[in-house]
Amino acid sequence: MAIVLGDNSYGKAETRVVTVDRDPDGHRLVDLNVTTALSGDLSATHLTGDNGAVLPTDSQKNTVFAFARDGIGEPEDFAARLARHFVQSQPAIHRAVVDIEAYRWDRLAHHSFVRAAGTRTASVTFDGSLRTWSGITDLVVMNTTDSEFWGYPKDPYTTLAETKDRILATALTARWRHTGTCDWAESHAAVVRLLLDTFAGTYSLSLQQTLFAMGRAVLDERPELAEIRLELPNKHHIPVDLSPFGLDNPGVVFHATDRPYGLIAATVTRDGT
């Protein structure tokens, strides 16, 4: 049986770049974490050590900095610029994937900022055509009531009690695929607002039900999207038994646990896409 090289890529992970637009009316801050991954005719470097087709990862890092000099703009546009450049400038490279985390900052004053909740994400693949994903990670949300969980199978190892009233908390990660280009900033803000409004407005019988309601709300309202993938870790809040201290606990005191946790994930898509 022959041993052959399979799918492969290489790149520069997590290049941190910050730009400051020193507008006299108020500075503007962009804070990114950029990862590049290139694929193509790279078998020689793996099989013989011939690096003739290998653009150094240090050069990829420097490209990020150089491209940032004239402004970054929206993360999706910046990722597309980089991805196109690597494919179009390197004969051996046929596919480039650029992933960006955009850390959000709110301005406090002319040149003062505070880190905002959640991290915006963008991912662009270019191999002659563009495929663009946008998203958000680590957006922590909580409903303190209107959440139940009951009616599940019981086996010899089940100790979880059914509940008709619980805290539902999660750190939302979502990625959505675009069908083309759009107003990236407007689309992103609208999707995040739909996700938050649906989380807040859904009476939850399971986190799975809440997830699907959130994904459906986004696709119902945003025709520029083909699908959305959500990951919702269940951040458990356990009512504390205060009876040893002669106290009741009418849904007031909880122990917030960080692990282990349930992890609910699903893709919501349009039928036929």
Side-chain angles (χ1 to χ4, degrees):
M1 179 181 295
I3 297 174
V4 298
L5 178 68
D7 186 48
N8 62 88
S9 66
Y10 81 105
K12 199 68 163 181
E14 301 197 41
T15 297
R16 294 284 282 107
V17 56
V18 176
T19 65
V20 179
D21 180 349
R22 299 181 181 276
D23 189 320
D25 294 330
H27 290 185
R28 291 189 292 271
L29 177 67
V30 177
D31 183 357
L32 303 183
N33 193 27
V34 182
T35 294
T36 58
L38 309 183
S39 304
D41 294 330
L42 299 169
S43 58
T45 188
H46 292 275
L47 302 179
T48 70
D50 179 353
N51 296 319
V54 181
L55 179 71
T57 65
D58 190 67
S59 301
Q60 297 176 44
K61 173 201 69 178
N62 292 338
T63 303
V64 172
F65 293 139
F67 276 38
R69 170 60 182 85
D70 295 326
I72 286 174
E74 297 301 321
E76 292 85 354
D77 288 328
F78 191 60
R81 286 175 59 201
L82 289 166
R84 281 196 181 97
H85 166 78
F86 291 125
V87 171
Q88 294 173 350
S89 67
Q90 299 298 312
I93 300 303
H94 302 158
R95 183 179 72 236
V97 179
V98 179
D99 294 318
I100 291 180
E101 295 175 329
Y103 304 114
R104 301 170 59 240
W105 293 87
D106 292 334
R107 186 162 55 205
L108 297 174
H110 178 271
H111 53 266
S112 299
F113 300 84
V114 60
R115 180 77 173 265
T119 299
R120 180 175 171 181
T121 64
S123 179
V124 170
T125 299
F126 181 73
D127 54 8
S129 61
L130 280 174
R131 294 180 295 283
T132 304
W133 292 77
S134 300
I136 193 161
T137 65
D138 199 29
L139 187 60
V140 180
V141 291
M142 177 188 292
N143 286 335
T144 53
T145 190
D146 285 354
S147 175
E148 305 180 13
F149 190 61
W150 53 274
Y152 44 83
K154 315 298 191 299
D155 70 6
Y157 306 105
T158 300
T159 60
L160 183 69
E162 294 187 344
T163 179
K164 296 295 183 70
D165 189 10
R166 66 171 181 171
I167 286 178
L168 186 67
T170 188
L172 168 68
T173 293
R175 298 176 73 240
W176 47 93
R177 180 168 60 89
H178 296 268
T179 58
T181 61
C182 66
D183 183 331
W184 304 117
E186 185 278 333
S187 177
H188 192 277
V191 170
V192 172
R193 176 47 52 195
L194 284 164
L195 291 170
L196 293 177
D197 287 349
T198 306
F199 178 84
T202 299
Y203 190 103
S204 180
L205 297 176
S206 68
L207 191 50
Q208 288 90 335
Q209 175 209 7
T210 300
L211 180 154
F212 183 74
M214 294 166 72
R216 181 173 57 189
V218 169
L219 295 186
D220 278 345
E221 295 294 327
R222 306 304 302 186
E224 75 274 18
L225 304 182
E227 63 182 282
I228 181 169
R229 179 165 181 82
L230 298 108
E231 295 183 2
L232 302 180
N234 198 339
K235 298 296 188 180
H236 302 296
H237 289 68
I238 312 301
V240 177
D241 180 8
L242 299 178
S243 60
F245 320 119
L247 301 171
D248 65 354
N249 184 10
V252 174
V253 182
F254 298 85
H255 175 213
T257 64
D258 63 349
R259 64 193 65 184
Y261 53 86
L263 181 58
I264 314 304
T267 299
V268 182
T269 188
R270 302 183 190 280
D271 188 31
T273 62

